[in-house]
């Protein structure tokens, strides 16, 4: 099983590596499960991974991020891979711009995110990559 958790260690390392006060672009690579897999007791109705992500995770994330500096720059299907590991598959890619890394962290490093938002991402995704990018000057 692939790790899809955003850990405190990863957030701390990113915070040290990313210049403060500068916009940061988060590249998301998403591979959906055929059927969402929620932890026992979460109480979500059965659905596909894509539905869990688009109809549950994204709206919950937007509610938590309301009023913060966040813009979706791109979101769309991955058509094919030209270079990569054999068998590697991504369903969708998305790029979001945050005013700075502190804005991103203020969303994902909260108990509300861990309790109400992240479970939908965990249930929805078979595999996930998240890269922090800077705009070239």
């Amino acid at each position: 099983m692939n790790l899809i958790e955003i850990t405190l260690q990863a957030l701390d390392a990113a915070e040290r590596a990313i210049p403060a006060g500068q916009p940061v672009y988060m590249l998301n690579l998403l591979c959906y499960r055929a059927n969402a897999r929620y932890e026992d007791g979460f109480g979500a109705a059965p659905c596909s991974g894509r539905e869990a992500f688009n109809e549950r995770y994204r709206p919950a994330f937007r509610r938590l991020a309301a009023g913060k500096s966040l813009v979706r720059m791109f979101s769309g299907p991955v058509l094919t891979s030209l270079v990569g590991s054999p068998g590697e598959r991504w369903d969708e890619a998305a790029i979001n711009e945050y005013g700075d890394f502190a804005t991103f962290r203020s969303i994902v490093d909260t108990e509300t995110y861990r309790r109400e938002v992240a479970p939908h991402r965990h249930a929805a995704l078979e595999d996930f990559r998240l890269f922090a990018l800077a705009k070239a000057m």
Side-chain angles (χ1 to χ4, degrees), residues 6-62:
I6 301 170
T7 65
L8 179 59
Q9 293 81 5
L11 290 170
D12 288 345
E15 193 165 55
R16 288 189 299 273
I18 298 169
Q22 295 182 12
V24 64
Y25 301 83
M26 302 302 282
L27 169 63
N28 298 257
L29 297 177
L30 312 168
C31 180
Y32 297 114
R33 296 179 193 276
N35 297 299
R37 281 194 236 155
Y38 284 94
E39 295 290 325
D40 289 340
F42 189 75
C47 67
S48 71
R50 187 179 299 271
E51 289 168 326
F53 197 84
N54 290 315
E55 297 172 16
R56 298 173 184 174
Y57 175 77
R58 280 187 169 147
F61 189 92
R62 279 190 220 109

Side-chain angles (χ1 to χ4, degrees), residues 66-117:
K68 298 189 186 291
S69 177
L70 166 61
V71 177
R72 182 182 297 179
M73 305 297 291
F74 172 85
S75 182
V78 173
L79 302 176
T80 189
S81 175
L82 300 174
V83 177
S85 300
E88 185 177 60
R89 172 183 78 80
W90 300 105
D91 295 312
E92 188 174 332
I95 300 175
N96 298 309
E97 177 186 9
Y98 295 84
D100 56 16
F101 185 74
T103 300
F104 173 77
R105 186 167 189 163
S106 75
I107 298 166
V108 302
D109 195 13
T110 64
E111 182 57 34
T112 302
Y113 179 84
R114 286 185 286 280
R115 186 181 62 250
E116 299 175 17
V117 183

